[in-house]
Structure formats: structure tokens, C-alpha cells
Amino acid sequence: MSVGIVSYGAYIPRYRIKVEDIARVWGDDADILSAGLMVNEKSVPDMDEDTATIAVEAARSAVARNNIDPKRIGAVYTGSESHPYAVKPTSTIVAEAIEATPAMTAADFEFACKAGTAAIQACMGLVSSGMVDLGMAIGADVSQGAPGDALEYTAAAGGVACIIGSKESEMVAVIEDTYSFTTDTPDFWRREGMPYPEHGGRFTGEPGYFKHVSGAANGLMEKMGTSPSDYDNAVFHQPNGKFPSRVAKMLGFSKEQIKPGLVVPRLGNTYSGSCMMGIAATLDQAKPGDRIFATAFGSGAGGDAFSFRVTDKIDEVRDAAPTVEGLLADPIYMDYAMYAKHKGKIRLG
């Protein structure tokens, strides 16, 4: 049975802060940071936005893009590392907001930045088995970085929802195959009750990101008998601009192949939404017949790789909901003081 993306939707807050405005507060060199990270600015949630509201907006766009009947959605899974409640699911809020309740199942996923793609794989299984007609997988975050920490320059806000189904006539992209590569690698973590995550600095790169992204990517290409030249575009998890550019080169993908989905310079790292945002941005520009290779990464650590084949349906539905490029347009910039207020970094006694 075929399985694929029936629809997708994204959401990005309009507020932004430039790397130079953060660097000015901490006495860092903005030019060196921007060049090293390949990030110029990042999104910031509004005062009333959190993972739940972002997930709802992305889900509504996904439903609207292909005119989906929400009652067909039998599962809603929201992946995030910044769920608004420690105990109470985000996914029930989303399901109620899109009117998919009550004959459905819901749960929240957590695997650092790849919780959203883990949800895609879960929906693939449910749809393929016939347990549900359609499943919705969401990756959304209002990611956190401690004041003055390196993460503060990239930790952003945004989300993407993908509706997974089995009717090829409805699909915008067939999922040809998937492969995961997972180990217990403590490169990044946050204990219960702690406001900000901790990380192993440069340790997050080689044993974390590069090992697991290349492991998943090479594993899938070996499984399928494909190579980088078989794909029109590629997307890799975007904690910054440097890492996906480097891993693409390591694997044999070109700058041109990753360009459509490389949105991190203007967006920052949306964590669970990061790889999925790149996939959405690529689908926004893809042509029928294009093949897209994508690999998500989540600290802790693991990689999920996917091979997609774009269908003729993409031309019918592409403009029925906001594109990633449209969501990135017309930003509202703020200074560090307003940013700190929006992010709740100012704690009152």
C-alpha cells in the first residue's frame, strides 16, 4: 500500500530579532556569529503564542490546503520539546480546534528536534495498517535558549503539520521509504522543571548531528539503492545554516539541491519544526515528478530519513494555504528588551 503526504501546512510568527541585536547585549561579534552560524535573524513568538497555538495554525493550513474533511483524521500527534503543559496533551487542543474529535486518537511526541518526523512515521504505520484513514503529524516549537547561551542566537518559533494518507490520488508527495538511525547520545538535554536546556557544546556536532544524520541518510540510500544524483532536492535538519550545508556536502548533495529548503538564515532553528519546515518550503517550489530526500535529527540522539516523490496534485493545492516564503515575508523586528519580554526571560519576584 502506498502512503504519503496528502496535505501540509506551516506557521511562522511575524516577529523577528536579528543576531546583531542579541550580540550587542552580550558583547559578542555579530559578524563572526552570523558568518559562523549562517543565521541572520530568528522568529519570535507573540505574547499569546505557544507550541499549541502554532500547531493549531499549521494544522488549519494543512486541512485547508487540500480541503480535507477533519472527521477523516483518525490520529493527531504533535511533536515538540516545548509543550505548554507537562501533563495535558497539546494534540487534543489541536484536534478540537480543527474539529477532528472525538472519534480519533491523540498523543504528544518528544524526541528533541525530530519528534515531528517520528510522528510522521507513526502515522505512516497507522494509515498503512488501515487503523485510520488519515493521520496528522505536527512538529512545532517555541524553542528555548538561556540568556547569553549560544542557543539564544538560533532558538526560534514555528511549526508544520503533515496529513498522511494512503490514497495516491490525494497525495502531494508519495513517501517512497523511510529509515531511522538511533543511539543513546546525550548531546542535549533539559531536566523536568528547568527553564532552559543544556548541551555538550561542540560535542553536539560530530557524535550527535553528523553521525546520526549521515547514518540515517546513508542507511536509506543503501536500503533503496539510490544516490544523491537521484534526487532533485534535499533537506537536512537545520540547527543553523552551517551543519546542513556541511552534511549535504559530506553525503554528496549539492548546494543547489538544498537551497529551496534552507530557510534557517531568515528563520532560525524551529526544533521539531526544522526539517519539516524545509520539506514544506521545498514542496512549495517542487514540480510533479521531483524527488526529495530529507533527514531530520533529534538530540539524544537519532535521525529519520525519508524519500519523497512529488505528484501532480501539488500544482492543484500549493497556493490554497500560506507558503513558507509568504510566512517569512513582511517581518516585524524587535529589540532585545521586547524579545526578552515575549520569551518570558524576565522573571518577576
Side-chain angles (χ1 to χ4, degrees):
M1 177 186 289
S2 294
V3 62
I5 299 175
V6 168
S7 192
Y8 66 98
Y11 178 75
I12 300 168
R14 284 187 67 190
Y15 287 99
R16 309 280 194 280
I17 184 169
K18 293 181 179 291
V19 164
E20 62 195 62
D21 288 320
I22 301 173
R24 187 180 299 116
V25 171
W26 301 111
D28 293 329
D29 190 315
D31 292 336
I32 291 176
L33 283 164
S34 291
L37 295 170
M38 294 174 61
V39 175
N40 301 314
E41 60 193 58
K42 68 172 190 173
S43 60
V44 181
D46 203 350
M47 298 288 287
D48 59 351
E49 290 184 316
D50 61 12
T51 291
T53 65
I54 287 171
V56 166
E57 291 298 323
R60 285 173 170 165
S61 287
V63 168
R65 176 166 263 124
N66 203 358
N67 194 28
I68 301 296
D69 177 1
K71 294 300 182 185
R72 293 179 59 197
I73 299 172
V76 175
Y77 296 142
T78 305
S80 180
E81 60 180 69
S82 54
H83 290 287
Y85 297 99
V87 179
K88 188 201 179 307
T90 302
S91 296
T92 54
I93 300 171
V94 176
E96 199 74 60
I98 63 171
E99 299 183 347
T101 57
M104 45 83 67
T105 184
D108 288 355
F109 279 42
E110 188 274 321
F111 195 140
C113 297
K114 81 168 190 72
T117 54
I120 288 176
Q121 291 176 326
C123 286
M124 288 172 64
L126 288 176
V127 168
S128 296
S129 72
M131 283 184 65
V132 303
D133 182 7
L134 300 173
M136 176 177 281
I138 303 168
D141 261 305
V142 285
S143 48
Q144 304 295 327
D149 187 87
L151 291 176
E152 191 175 35
Y153 290 100
T154 56
V160 175
C162 290
I163 299 176
I164 307 300
S166 61
K167 297 177 183 176
E168 194 158 345
S169 62
E170 294 182 326
M171 296 179 198
V172 299
V174 176
I175 301 175
E176 297 178 312
D177 211 339
T178 185
Y179 182 96
S180 293
F181 183 95
T182 311
T183 73
D184 182 22
T185 302
D187 56 330
F188 178 97
W189 65 93
R190 178 172 64 84
R191 288 190 177 275
E192 181 69 32
M194 301 301 291
Y196 301 113
E198 298 179 65
H199 56 88
R202 293 185 181 276
F203 180 79
T204 63
E206 296 299 339
Y209 183 94
F210 293 103
K211 175 180 178 179
H212 294 82
V213 171
S214 60
N218 284 323
L220 180 56
M221 285 189 282
E222 182 178 341
K223 179 182 178 184
M224 295 184 64
T226 58
S227 65
S229 62
D230 293 315
Y231 296 93
D232 299 278
N233 297 113
V235 178
F236 300 98
H237 171 56
Q238 305 171 35
N240 48 53
K242 185 176 182 178
F243 278 21
S245 299
R246 179 180 161 190
V247 82
K249 185 177 181 180
M250 288 168 54
L251 292 165
F253 291 92
S254 68
K255 290 182 180 179
E256 289 71 28
Q257 284 172 296
I258 66 170
K259 184 178 179 181
L262 194 62
V263 294
V264 67
R266 292 184 292 158
L267 173 61
N269 181 9
T270 53
Y271 284 41
S272 293
S274 176
C275 183
M276 293 174 69
M277 192 72 72
I279 293 169
T282 304
L283 286 172
D284 286 341
Q285 303 175 50
K287 303 184 299 295
D290 281 358
R291 295 180 80 188
I292 302 168
F293 189 86
T295 308
F297 169 73
S299 290
D304 296 333
F306 299 84
S307 180
F308 300 99
R309 175 174 52 81
V310 181
T311 73
D312 295 341
K313 190 73 174 179
I314 192 68
D315 288 335
E316 295 179 33
V317 306
R318 193 194 325 265
D319 298 323
T323 63
V324 173
E325 186 61 35
L327 292 165
L328 285 170
D330 197 23
I332 301 171
Y333 289 102
M334 57 174 57
D335 60 17
Y336 191 89
M338 188 59 70
Y339 157 75
K341 180 181 179 182
H342 273 236
K343 292 291 290 178
K345 292 177 182 284
I346 301 170
R347 304 284 178 176
L348 301 179

